[in-house]
Amino acid sequence: MHLKDKVALVTGAAQGIGRAFAQALLEKGCKVALVDQNVEVGKASKDALDKQFDVQRTIFIPCDVSNEEQLKDAFKKVVQHFGKLDILVNNAGVNNEKNWEVTVQINLISMIRGTYIGLDYMKTENGGSGGVIVNISSLAGLVPVAHQPVYCASKHGVVGFTRSIAMASKIGNYGVRINTICPGFVNTPILQSIDKEENMGQYSAYKEEIKDMIKFYGILDPPLVAEGLIKILEDDALNGEVMKITTSQGIHFHEYTPLPFQSTKQ
Ligand SMILES: NC(=O)c1ccc[n+]([C@@H]2O[C@H](COP(=O)([O-])OP(=O)(O)OC[C@H]3O[C@@H](n4cnc5c(N)ncnc54)[C@H](O)[C@@H]3O)[C@@H](O)[C@H]2O)c1
């Protein structure tokens, strides 16, 4: 996909990885809707981006992605404002092992809902002109993590859903490529949640062990994850892929053995 003048909706774009995605997309000439529940930080990010890019190229939309009506409304606003939707990045996520249902709701259920709403707008059979969806998982979507079992389950869900819906898209000729990114630890505010009892609950006692793990694996910077996103968006051959980003190997892809059953339409 050529990115110039494409319209992107990024959830969780107020800060962290989502904010780096918005920056990279704008640098490529996209128009970007920053969708986030954090109004203060979201507005501040839009203001900062307005100092670098034409103010018309971004819009901030306050939205709790776990609220179905607000999420649907956010998509509607993007299409009303920019006239179309070409790229969707389901990035909003939390780490909460105490109120673990919230983690499943935001990281998994809202990502699934976002993908379906995005497909409604982009699918060629609905009159859309196709597009690309990228769902943000984590390395915790591929390996077990002792002290974040629910976060880990939610991110495994992102990988399973994305690979499956990507196959459905190909078989059904939706005209939409769907991929996922699994980064290692990234230097963003979410890492502060490890120190908080209200986030870690019964696993709070193990926070030093998690910190040792972070030291062992190292920490990525958000712009590298954004580089991975741009690579997925620009390479039209990629669908159903699981991109891993690590300090040791940089941007690379997870390899799976081919499935024994192949649809004749694949
Ligand atoms: N930072 C890491 O180490 C790391 C590693 C792998 C994957 N990830 C994933 O990357 C994504 C981005 O995380 P981050 O590190 O930038 O975290 P972050 O906490 O810095 O940013 C997350 C953003 O999502 C927003 N958000 C949270 N819940 C929301 C909701 N219900 N509705 C709307 N917005 C909501 C927050 O307001 C925030 O702006 C998440 O899905 C996270 O799980 C992060």
Side-chain angles (χ1 to χ4, degrees), residues 12 14-18 35-38 63-66 91-94 106 136-138 151 155 183-186 188-191:
Q15 65 179 29
I17 295 171
V35 172
D36 205 292
Q37 68 178 2
N38 191 332
C63 163
D64 174 355
V65 297
S66 64
N91 165 75
V94 293
I106 296 171
I136 306 308
S137 179
S138 163
Y151 181 82
K155 293 301 188 180
F185 294 109
V186 188
T188 74
I190 208 173
L191 293 185

Side-chain angles (χ1 to χ4, degrees), residues 171-203:
I171 293 166
N173 289 318
Y174 296 176
V176 181
R177 296 189 290 108
I178 312 169
N179 295 280
T180 184
I181 303 180
C182 296
F185 294 109
V186 188
N187 189 13
T188 74
I190 208 173
L191 293 185
Q192 291 157 17
S193 62
I194 289 158
D195 271 321
K196 295 181 184 156
E197 195 279 333
E198 74 226 46
N199 289 84
M200 295 306 291
Q202 62 180 307
Y203 302 105

Side-chain angles (χ1 to χ4, degrees), residues 121-164:
Y121 282 98
M122 293 194 241
K123 258 184 185 178
T124 46
E125 71 187 55
N126 290 358
S129 41
V132 188
I133 298 176
V134 182
N135 294 327
I136 306 308
S137 179
S138 163
L139 279 190
L142 297 167
V143 297
V145 185
H147 311 306
Q148 292 174 288
V150 178
Y151 181 82
C152 190
S154 72
K155 293 301 188 180
H156 272 68
V158 176
V159 172
F161 175 76
T162 303
R163 293 182 70 210
S164 305

